[in-house]
Amino acid sequence: MCVVAHPDDLEYGASVAVARWTEEGRTVVYVLATSGEAGIDHLSPDECRRVRQREERAAAAAVGVDVVEFLDHPDGVVCYGLPLRRDLARAIRRHRPDFVLTANFSVTWGPGPGGPANQADHRNVGLAALDASRDAGNRWVFPELLNEGLEPWGGTRWLAVFGSSTPTHYASVEPRHLEAGVASLEAHEVYLSGLGQEFDSRAFLTEQIRQSGASALQELAVSFEVFTL
């Protein structure tokens, strides 16, 4: 189960690994805290929500993911706290994953020290995903979920973080997975054009995946920091 704040978060590298996993027959679902409705300046939030949900579903389909859920927390001002943890614990109990993937929730983003400042929604959702992965297995945390027919799920064994400055694991990928990842990122056509600058999805992802591959002594790879739960 992949848990991120916004449409497009997974497509900056993680979806390349997702393409490999779905090809191997693994079931992957996406759970997004927001619909990214504050992400395009010239679109109203209601119109932007529709556009970004549509683009995210297309992006997911490009890497073999059929289930995309939006939790409708407000874009740009997602708060870490019990409501977010409860919503994510609910999703984990429903989908019962053995592995949760989320985005870097450190203050800075990307490999190495001194990277660019990380956005608040990323930090809050990533940390909540970590905590909810344990909350989901405790009957007495959010007991109201029992009234919804959701029994505890303690089978999530690992939480992986992409975009970490301290990766511990690498997923080897093939050129076809990179191609699927490029298609996944390019599905965010309206969003990327709204950034107001040229962005080469293929060049960006290829460089990133090759750099991770070099660190792993492989041609192409996606890097993660993995926590055992």
Side-chain angles (χ1 to χ4, degrees):
M1 187 172 103
C2 301
V3 178
V4 292
H6 314 108
D8 85 295
D9 284 352
L10 286 162
E11 283 69 61
Y12 291 102
S15 65
V16 178
V18 172
R20 171 191 157 178
W21 297 333
T22 58
E23 182 185 81
E24 293 173 339
R26 303 177 190 274
T27 299
V28 179
V29 300
Y30 285 1
V31 176
L32 287 79
T34 82
S35 295
E37 67 275 7
I40 303 177
D41 185 68
H42 67 274
L43 294 182
S44 70
D46 285 344
E47 184 178 0
C48 188
R49 179 181 292 106
R50 290 191 293 272
V51 168
R52 300 205 69 193
Q53 286 189 359
R54 182 179 69 247
E55 291 189 338
E56 181 56 32
R57 291 191 175 98
V63 292
V65 175
D66 299 324
V67 177
V68 182
E69 298 180 355
F70 301 90
L71 299 181
D72 294 327
H73 286 255
D75 183 21
V77 289
V78 177
C79 292
Y80 175 88
L82 297 181
L84 179 58
R85 282 171 55 186
R86 182 187 299 110
D87 285 348
L88 293 177
R90 177 184 289 112
I92 290 169
R93 288 193 184 190
R94 283 193 294 106
H95 293 295
R96 303 171 78 83
D98 59 1
F99 176 92
V100 168
L101 173 67
T102 193
N104 175 18
F105 47 87
S106 298
V107 175
T108 59
W109 182 267
N118 199 1
Q119 202 254 10
D121 286 358
H122 300 156
R123 301 197 311 268
N124 292 335
V125 172
L127 183 58
L130 172 62
D131 292 338
S133 296
R134 286 183 166 165
D135 295 338
N138 190 325
R139 180 176 301 276
W140 310 118
V141 175
F142 306 129
E144 60 270 32
L145 297 180
L146 297 172
N147 296 330
E148 299 177 20
L150 296 172
E151 288 294 318
W153 171 249
T156 304
R157 301 172 61 190
W158 305 280
L159 179 128
V161 177
F162 67 90
S164 170
S165 62
T166 54
T168 59
H169 290 69
Y170 296 85
S172 175
V173 294
E174 300 293 336
R176 64 183 179 278
H177 305 133
L178 176 57
E179 285 299 312
V182 171
S184 186
L185 180 54
E186 289 179 343
H188 295 280
E189 180 180 3
V190 176
Y191 174 72
L192 293 175
S193 66
L195 295 178
Q197 57 188 3
E198 292 294 327
F199 180 77
D200 189 329
S201 301
R202 182 177 301 279
F204 173 85
L205 284 179
T206 299
E207 177 66 17
Q208 182 185 117
I209 302 305
R210 283 179 175 169
Q211 286 183 357
S212 294
S215 297
L217 302 179
Q218 301 172 27
E219 181 181 358
L220 302 171
V222 183
S223 64
F224 304 100
E225 183 176 10
V226 178
F227 298 88
T228 302
L229 298 174

